[in-house]
Amino acid sequence: MNDILYFKVFCFEAYKSEKKMTGKETMNIFIKYNVLYYLETCFDVLHTMGRNALIEDIDMFIAAKNVKYDDIFK
């Protein structure tokens, strides 16, 4: 396995554990919000962060995906 794959697995397991979710629930969220692609494309920066910072970053990424264009300009 390569470094990016290890990193994705680490993030997945850390997020699952922190949020007390099943693997299926976690994967559904990661797929819905394209988190795995984000982790891969931003690997150079993200892999230097600690576990808690990664979980917080994933939460912010998901939250940003939930913002609708109309909500920004209210």
Side-chain angles (χ1 to χ4, degrees), residues 29-42:
I29 287 173
F30 275 36
I31 290 169
K32 179 177 181 178
Y33 296 104
N34 214 8
V35 174
L36 294 173
Y37 179 75
Y38 169 66
L39 294 174
E40 184 171 335
T41 57
C42 297

Side-chain angles (χ1 to χ4, degrees), residues 14-62:
Y15 198 83
K16 180 181 81 146
S17 175
E18 180 68 25
K19 304 298 180 179
K20 297 176 180 30
M21 298 167 60
T22 66
K24 185 175 182 176
E25 292 168 330
T26 307
M27 186 55 76
N28 286 339
I29 287 173
F30 275 36
I31 290 169
K32 179 177 181 178
Y33 296 104
N34 214 8
V35 174
L36 294 173
Y37 179 75
Y38 169 66
L39 294 174
E40 184 171 335
T41 57
C42 297
F43 172 77
D44 290 341
V45 174
L46 294 176
H47 85 280
T48 64
M49 299 167 67
R51 181 184 185 277
N52 291 338
L54 284 167
I55 292 167
E56 185 178 324
D57 193 75
I58 292 169
D59 280 339
M60 288 189 300
F61 178 78
I62 291 169

